[in-house]
Amino acid sequence: MPIVVDVDVMLAKRKMSVGELADRVGITPANLAVLKNGRAKAVRFTTLAALCEVLECQPGDLLRWEGEGGAAG
């Protein structure tokens, strides 16, 4: 999939566990794992906004586009 989810990068930067993030965002750890591992087909804007609020970041810090060749741009 050309959209890559970098939630794990932000978790490491914030020194936060998946369980803590899921609890603070209000989603299950299983659903967060689906998103984090790139298996999600969609993400609600409310969930994205909550992730950004808790992680103190921008949507672009969590999501990036990679072309078919694997390189951004």
Side-chain angles (χ1 to χ4, degrees):
M1 174 173 286
I3 301 295
V4 177
V5 181
D6 287 327
V7 170
D8 54 344
V9 173
M10 291 307 297
L11 281 171
K13 285 182 179 180
R14 302 296 186 250
K15 296 181 174 71
M16 189 180 297
S17 71
V18 172
E20 180 183 354
L21 179 60
D23 186 50
R24 291 178 62 182
V25 169
I27 62 176
T28 66
N31 283 341
L32 182 57
V34 167
L35 177 63
K36 187 175 84 67
N37 295 326
R39 295 189 317 259
K41 301 288 185 204
V43 60
R44 293 178 190 265
F45 279 174
T46 54
T47 302
L48 182 59
L51 287 167
C52 290
E53 183 177 348
V54 171
L55 293 170
E56 298 177 352
C57 66
Q58 294 294 313
D61 296 326
L62 301 176
L63 304 172
R64 64 186 158 88
W65 180 81
E66 284 191 356
E68 294 301 320

